[in-house]
Amino acid sequence: MTNGATFTVATLQERVEAIFKKAGLNKVQAGALARVLAAGERDHCKSHGVYRIEGALRTVKAGKVNPTAIPELVEQEASAIVRVDAKSGFSYPAFELGLPVLAERAHKHGLAALVVNDCSHFTALWPEVEAVTAYGLATLIMCPSYATVAPAGGTKPLLGTNPYAFGWPRENKPPYVFDFATSVAARGEIELHRRAGKQLPEGWAIDSEGNPTTDPETALAGAMLPFGGHKGSAISTMIELLAAIMIGDRTSPEVLDYLGTTTLSPMHGELILAFSPEAFSAGRPGNPFERAESFFEAIVAQGARLPSQRRFDARKKSESEGISLSAAEVELLDRLYEQ
Ligand code: NDP
Ligand code: PYC
């Protein structure tokens, strides 16, 4: 029986990159995936950490992602719309390629969009949010997924878990970031409950007849529910419109048709919007960054916490004490390297 182990961010990243390279991914794909998954473990975001490696490798084996893709910038000279063709590779390498151009255009025009097409997407959005805010820009990021969520009032999967994330840059502080699934919980959470043999909280899912269920297996075969009833359902629909239909890429039902399963990483597009707070507030009273700080102070003064604070605390701890993986997680890494 393997024991649990503690990794530094760098050693975990190396370990994950080695697994992906051994499975045939090129440096661009393997390196980017290792960065984003090690960051997930560092920030204790278990639903988008090392447990996701297996699904990514399954997707490679099924031929539903190009492991040696080199994403390409589809240059539209000086346009506020920057487009990257992921060439059927994973999303994060395509994002990394487009980011500096997005930032340059957002500072130039006041706002810009990065459209990523044809990417296999299984990661959390906050690493991308933080990367955009590092350029002093506010950002909104969204993408579809595959049809696993019933619209409010409906009974059958149609929407994806469609993540939606926002970031605001802060001087000498981590940015303000929220990042959530538009379903009550990410599908990764349901899968983690199933693996742990735990029941789901009530209100997360329905069975295939539309009845409430707390059994993860039944939930995976039925449908998840949108957060906030009709409100989450409408936001999720907006994501299908903006980050699938508008950018000429697959909607969540089309992704499911293409893959034929929810056990592989979904192939679709992604929309990243970037805003320059200075440009939007030009000529108006007050400094937007100072005003934002007063607003955050007012939130915290009530005893509330800012979103991502748990993550930033976890990050600090990981950076000083290392990232602890359980025996099962270390066995998973060993097995995936050996296979
Ligand atoms: P959570 O519900 O865990 O968290 C949502 C956000 O709310 C986080 O920013 C979190 O910050 C914040 N938050 C949680 N509790 C509080 C609180 N009490 N006060 C203030 N803020 C709070 O996220 P989900 O389970 O919905 O999503 C998890 C991840 O799954 C996301 O990163 C998302 O991108 C990813 N995902 C990816 C998909 C894909 O297709 N690629 C699909 C769906 C989800 P903190 O982390 O600090 O707790
Ligand atoms: O956790 O819902 C999820 C998810 C779907 C695709 C990637 N993550």
Side-chain angles (χ1 to χ4, degrees):
M1 173 76 185
T2 317
N3 292 321
T6 302
F7 294 81
T8 63
V9 177
T11 55
L12 182 58
Q13 216 168 282
E14 277 164 24
R15 189 78 177 269
V16 175
E17 185 169 339
I19 292 171
F20 281 125
K21 280 191 173 153
K22 195 147 179 256
L25 274 71
N26 63 12
K27 171 84 187 152
V28 173
Q29 300 289 322
L33 290 189
R35 281 190 284 285
V36 79
L37 293 179
E41 289 297 335
R42 179 201 62 197
D43 284 14
H44 211 77
C45 292
K46 301 302 282 186
S47 68
H48 290 80
V50 295
Y51 120 79
R52 290 275 172 182
I53 300 172
E54 211 167 6
L57 296 181
R58 242 191 338 263
T59 312
V60 172
K61 270 203 181 132
K64 294 292 188 183
V65 64
N66 178 1
T68 56
I70 305 285
E72 242 178 61
L73 198 60
V74 184
E75 192 49 66
Q76 289 164 298
E77 191 85 7
S79 168
I81 302 172
V82 179
R83 192 181 293 273
V84 172
D85 181 347
K87 299 280 177 187
S88 303
F90 288 103
S91 57
Y92 202 62
F95 167 80
E96 287 187 332
L97 176 70
L99 174 64
V101 188
L102 170 74
E104 181 259 313
R105 302 281 162 85
H107 282 297
K108 179 174 174 178
H109 298 295
L111 79 165
L114 171 60
V115 171
V116 176
N117 285 120
D118 201 21
C119 63
S120 186
H121 198 298
F122 68 88
T123 53
L125 298 187
W126 55 259
E128 298 178 348
V129 169
E130 289 188 26
V132 179
T133 58
Y135 283 88
L137 297 162
T139 184
L140 257 181
I141 306 186
M142 62 194 90
C143 69
S145 181
Y146 26 44
T148 51
V149 178
T155 57
K156 300 278 176 250
L158 180 71
L159 302 163
T161 49
N162 301 1
Y164 189 55
F166 171 79
W168 178 273
R170 304 178 72 190
E171 215 170 304
N172 303 320
K173 285 192 182 123
Y176 174 92
V177 178
F178 72 69
D179 174 20
F180 51 73
T182 47
S183 45
V184 178
R187 195 161 177 86
E189 284 294 338
I190 310 241
E191 176 58 23
L192 290 177
H193 275 76
R194 188 187 67 78
R195 288 183 184 202
K198 285 197 210 152
Q199 290 293 293
L200 304 174
E202 280 178 22
W204 280 26
I206 50 179
D207 66 16
S208 51
E209 305 299 316
N211 303 308
T213 183
T214 55
D215 175 52
E217 206 77 67
T218 311
L220 289 169
M224 298 166 66
L225 292 170
F227 84 97
H230 62 282
K231 300 180 187 182
S233 191
I235 292 175
S236 188
T237 303
M238 175 194 77
I239 294 171
E240 301 285 347
L241 295 172
L242 293 179
I245 291 170
M246 186 178 83
I247 65 168
D249 222 307
R250 291 187 183 91
T251 60
S252 295
E254 288 166 347
V255 173
L256 192 54
D257 282 350
Y258 167 76
L259 284 182
T261 173
T262 57
T263 60
L264 303 176
S265 169
M267 177 75 71
H268 49 68
E270 183 176 5
L271 181 64
I272 296 117
L273 303 172
F275 311 87
S276 159
E278 286 106 331
F280 274 86
S281 60
R284 300 293 304 164
N287 173 308
F289 299 110
E290 287 169 9
R291 294 184 67 205
E293 287 310 314
S294 305
F295 207 87
F296 298 142
E297 277 162 26
I299 293 173
V300 175
Q302 292 195 14
R305 77 157 165 98
L306 297 182
S308 293
Q309 194 53 53
R310 176 203 62 81
R311 237 169 17 77
F312 294 135
D313 293 346
R315 182 180 304 179
K316 231 186 220 166
K317 190 160 182 268
S318 297
E319 282 167 350
S320 64
E321 297 172 19
I323 302 168
S324 296
L325 294 191
S326 66
E329 288 167 332
V330 174
E331 261 172 29
L332 176 77
L333 293 180
D334 290 346
R335 179 167 58 77
L336 295 178
Y337 186 74
E338 293 311 328
Q339 76 183 6

